Amino acid sequence: MSKPTAADNVMSRLRRPAGRFRDTPIWAKLGLIMIVPTIATVVVGTNGLIGHIQTQTTAERARDLAGLSQTAGQLVHDLQNERAAATMLLAPRAGASAAARSNYTATHQAVEAAKRPYSQQRNAIAELPENIASVLKQIDSQLTGLPGVRSKVINGSFALSEAESDYQALLSYLLTIRDSAARLAGNNELSDRMRAAAEVSRIKDNVAQRRVVVHQILGQGDITAQLREQYIATKTGERQALDTFRAVASRAERDSYDKTVAGAAQGQAAKYQSYLDGNTTGSVAGAPFDAAQWDAAMRAQADLLRAVERELDGRMVTLATRLRDDVQQRLLLETGLLLGMLLLAVLFAWLVARSMARSLRELRHGALAVAQHGLPHAVARLRDPALAAGHLTPAQVADQIAEPLPVRTRDEFGQVTEAFNAVHLEAVRTAAEQAALRSSVATMFVNLARRSQILVDRLIGHLDRLERGEEDPDALAELFQLDHLATRMRRNDENLLVLAGADSTRVQREPAALIDVLRAAQSEVEHYTRIEFGIVDRDIEVAAHAVNDLVHLVAELFDNATAFSPPDSHIVVEARRVGDRAVLYVEDRGIGISPDQLLDLNERLASPPQVDVAVSRMMGLVVVARLAARHGVRVELRPAAERGTIADVTLPPAVLVPRSLSGRPQPAVSAPAYLTQSADAGPGSSSRSPFSPPMALEGGGPSSAPPAEPYAPLLPDQPRPYDPAPQRGNGAGNGLPGRPMPAWSDLTGAAPNGAGTPHTNGAGGLPQRRPDEAWPADAQPWRTSGDTDGRGSTPSIPRQTSAPPDPRAFGGGPAVVPPGSAPPVVSAPPVGSAPPVFAAPPAGS
């Protein structure tokens, strides 16, 4: 394999972000999609908001300047009156009269009263242009030095021209505020209103200057050239300001000016001015007015102009306030719209993402529900024989049992749901086809197994007749071997029936003692001579419906124990009753099983697996698991104390005859003489006993001729023979007083004399535990680990020291069971229920 190049590494790093993006959730992807339009909206909206904020700042500043101009107008008006009073006090001919001083002092209060609102408005304004800020600083300085000017005026230490110059400088700065405010209005209409008010202020200022000039003329007594020039300048300035006012003012403002600046006060001032305009001599000695009259007329005219100015200032402030409020409202509206659009976009993205996530979540939950519950349930329903017997096609079966997911939308998610439903339907249809195929294969197995059973039964019948008529011991031994092989062939056929889910053709109508069941199972095992029976309670009887299946189950355990243990070892079998249950104990001395394999085997025994090619290699395990599950029998494998493996078979009350009904009297039938076994022949050396395997006759010679009616086998539905002798004692046989003992009780080690002492491996006796393996007197034959029946304890057979069996036990790889733990109890299915259909195992397995 070539080494990756640097270019490949670079491309791999470049692909990583794309891979991460593909793995991000929908929320993040929609968020990434919304980033670009959101940023664009924010940028554009922010630019607009910034412009509106600037406009709002300008409008706010214009409104503040309008308010400042309004307060400055009143201050200017009062300062003009104070200046006129100072001029009258400092006039050369008037002198510092008490009346003039009192008049001048009275004007101070009005100026001070006008300074307070001006100062408040002035302090409320911030961030003004440098030119206006410098003007306001000059005004502040002049107002700070105003008390000094007043003091000099009162003391007479100030010349008239100096006082007039100081007052005029302060008034000029105050009037400049109006012009600056008009330039910074930011709105044409507001700028025109401010200019109109500024022009009226300029008109009034020219009138105030003319008032001072005439006071100087009246103080000197004649009109000098300088004073005449100043007088004419005020007239010219007034006319220019009036013309400008009429140019920028609205019709309503002009009409208001014309209506206000009129009347007797304006006529008196015009009359006095006409005298001065027509005076060519320069002397004012014959003037029709004096200083007081002139001052009163000019003050009245200034009040008229102040009224117009106050009206214009009010309109100006109102307009500036309205413009500011409009800008603020528009700013708030646009800001709200921008934020609302962003929130709406986020809300739409959230709703879309939520809808998509909900659709995907529902699809995911539905898919998991189908995978974890729906599809297994559908497959389980496919095993229903009633459904299989309905003669429906796989497509019809799929339409009937496949429950589709609900399609709630028509978008891509709905289309994906429909596609998933199609996949689900196809999967169920395929499972239906497989179920039909398995059913066909199972039916084929049943047919082949039953045909083979018929032939094997016929073969066994022929062998029985040959055995009864054969007197040659060697030939009879060969016939016994053939008979035993035929019996094993019949068990293989029954295995196929179990795997196919069919019941055995043999029917048992009467219950059977457990020892008889063990003997019948022993007769179906190849190495039957290695099986030893230890303590077996005689009062344990198996219900009729479970006899054949239990014989089959035990035979598989015997066959496994003998096949995977040393040829010279023995298999120990014991059975005890524990309450309303019974426990069967089969111990071999094989090499043992690893914990992992033991766990796997116990899991398979607790839950019968589906039959396939792999499972067919361990057919015995599957047969035992299915037979156990059919009757609720619990089979567990565990390691022996020293070597080998112990198989615990717990028989539930459902397969046992209650203790009160066990040992019912039956007609006594004597056992034939040839059924006895010698000390050397081992178990089952009778000519034909269903409870002991066939063996050579004692001594190898012919026996007496068999009776006309051979010994009745256990498995067919025939009554069991019983010994009429009473059964007593409480030894190994566990006999019950007053009850008859079976005629073959001598084969199981029970003493008919009631002594209760089991037979040893002698003539006519059951293979027993070797003397060196006897249980101690204080042995505790029961264990309490695990709880399989809700009673808090699990019975156990006393363990014999042995080695674990071969790991190939039951033909499969076992798994681990931790020491002291027990697999769960598997409840038996209802009697007569059809197990799942399986594929046929390979031949010879």
Side-chain angles (χ1 to χ4, degrees), residues 443-495:
T443 304
M444 181 178 64
F445 279 178
V446 172
N447 294 333
L448 294 177
R450 293 195 187 281
R451 290 185 181 186
S452 179
Q453 257 190 339
I454 294 173
L455 297 178
V456 171
D457 288 340
R458 292 177 61 185
L459 176 60
I460 292 175
H462 287 299
L463 291 176
D464 287 342
R465 288 194 297 272
L466 292 176
E467 290 169 0
R468 287 195 296 268
E470 183 61 47
E471 295 182 356
D472 184 2
D474 295 335
L476 185 59
E478 293 295 333
L479 290 176
F480 283 162
Q481 293 293 335
L482 293 176
D483 194 347
H484 183 64
L485 290 175
T487 302
R488 293 168 58 197
M489 291 173 60
R490 181 174 60 185
R491 182 160 58 88
N492 288 335
D493 292 336
E494 291 178 350
N495 285 347

Side-chain angles (χ1 to χ4, degrees), residues 221-223 228 275 279-287:
D222 58 352
I223 303 175
R228 183 177 292 279
Y275 168 76
N279 189 335
T280 58
T281 62
S283 175
V284 292

Side-chain angles (χ1 to χ4, degrees), residues 767-798:
Q768 298 297 321
R769 184 185 307 276
R770 288 180 291 280
D772 58 345
E773 298 173 350
W775 295 106
D778 58 349
Q780 297 296 328
W782 314 116
R783 57 184 171 88
T784 58
S785 61
D787 186 3
T788 61
D789 61 349
R791 302 171 183 266
S793 64
T794 303
S796 173
I797 298 298

Side-chain angles (χ1 to χ4, degrees), residues 646-844:
I646 298 175
D648 281 341
V649 181
T650 304
L651 304 179
V655 301
L656 298 177
V657 176
R659 189 191 299 267
S660 60
L661 300 179
S662 62
R664 291 170 297 178
Q666 298 290 338
V669 179
S670 300
Y674 67 90
L675 290 178
T676 60
Q677 61 184 133
S678 64
D680 300 330
S685 60
S686 62
S687 64
R688 180 57 180 162
S689 172
F691 310 117
S692 60
M695 289 289 294
L697 293 177
E698 180 181 358
S703 64
S704 60
E709 294 297 332
Y711 188 73
L714 170 66
L715 295 178
D717 183 20
Q718 295 184 8
R720 292 181 293 127
Y722 279 81
D723 192 336
Q727 180 181 6
R728 295 187 302 273
N730 54 3
N734 289 331
L736 297 175
R739 293 199 178 184
M741 181 178 292
W744 54 82
S745 59
D746 59 333
L747 301 179
T748 60
N753 57 5
T757 303
H759 289 289
T760 59
N761 287 350
L766 183 67
Q768 298 297 321
R769 184 185 307 276
R770 288 180 291 280
D772 58 345
E773 298 173 350
W775 295 106
D778 58 349
Q780 297 296 328
W782 314 116
R783 57 184 171 88
T784 58
S785 61
D787 186 3
T788 61
D789 61 349
R791 302 171 183 266
S793 64
T794 303
S796 173
I797 298 298
R799 295 176 173 79
Q800 175 179 325
T801 303
S802 58
D806 190 270
R808 298 170 297 167
F810 288 97
V816 172
V817 173
S821 64
V825 177
V826 179
S827 301
V831 177
S833 62
V837 179
F838 297 93

Side-chain angles (χ1 to χ4, degrees), residues 118 122 130-146 166 169-174 176-177:
Y118 169 80
R122 161 71 178 88
E130 184 63 26
N131 56 345
I132 298 181
S134 61
V135 170
L136 294 179
K137 289 180 181 179
Q138 292 293 333
I139 294 174
D140 295 340
S141 177
Q142 293 287 337
L143 290 175
T144 304
L146 185 60
D166 289 343
L170 177 58
L171 291 172
S172 297
Y173 286 132
L174 290 173
T176 304
I177 293 176

Side-chain angles (χ1 to χ4, degrees), residues 169-330:
L170 177 58
L171 291 172
S172 297
Y173 286 132
L174 290 173
L175 292 175
T176 304
I177 293 176
R178 291 187 176 274
D179 295 332
S180 299
R183 289 193 297 269
L184 297 176
N187 182 271
N188 294 332
E189 183 179 2
L190 179 60
S191 178
D192 291 341
R193 303 290 76 74
M194 287 184 172
R195 288 180 61 189
E199 296 301 326
V200 172
S201 297
R202 192 168 287 110
I203 294 172
K204 190 166 69 70
D205 182 64
N206 284 287
V207 171
Q209 290 181 15
R210 189 182 312 121
R211 177 182 176 185
V212 172
V213 170
V214 172
H215 275 300
Q216 292 178 358
I217 292 173
L218 293 177
Q220 293 181 5
D222 58 352
I223 303 175
T224 63
Q226 182 180 1
L227 292 177
R228 183 177 292 279
E229 182 180 354
Q230 293 178 359
Y231 178 81
I232 295 173
T234 58
K235 297 282 288 185
T236 303
E238 179 185 3
R239 186 169 53 254
Q240 291 176 352
L242 181 60
D243 294 340
T244 304
F245 167 75
R246 294 188 178 278
V248 299
S250 62
R251 179 181 296 275
E253 292 172 344
R254 293 195 298 266
D255 293 343
S256 176
Y257 180 87
D258 294 338
K259 292 179 180 179
T260 304
V261 184
Q266 178 64 19
Q268 189 68 27
K271 177 180 177 182
Y272 293 160
Q273 291 176 19
S274 298
Y275 168 76
L276 295 174
D277 293 338
N279 189 335
T280 58
T281 62
S283 175
V284 292
F289 55 88
D290 54 12
Q293 292 175 339
W294 168 255
D295 189 74
M298 297 306 295
R299 185 167 186 159
Q301 184 181 11
D303 290 339
L304 296 178
L305 292 173
R306 176 57 191 158
V308 175
E309 184 183 37
R310 188 180 296 109
E311 180 181 0
L312 294 178
D313 286 341
R315 293 179 180 180
M316 175 186 63
V317 172
T318 302
L319 179 59
T321 302
R322 180 171 60 83
L323 293 176
R324 183 202 60 183
D325 294 342
D326 291 344
V327 172
Q328 288 181 349
Q329 184 178 3
R330 185 166 60 252

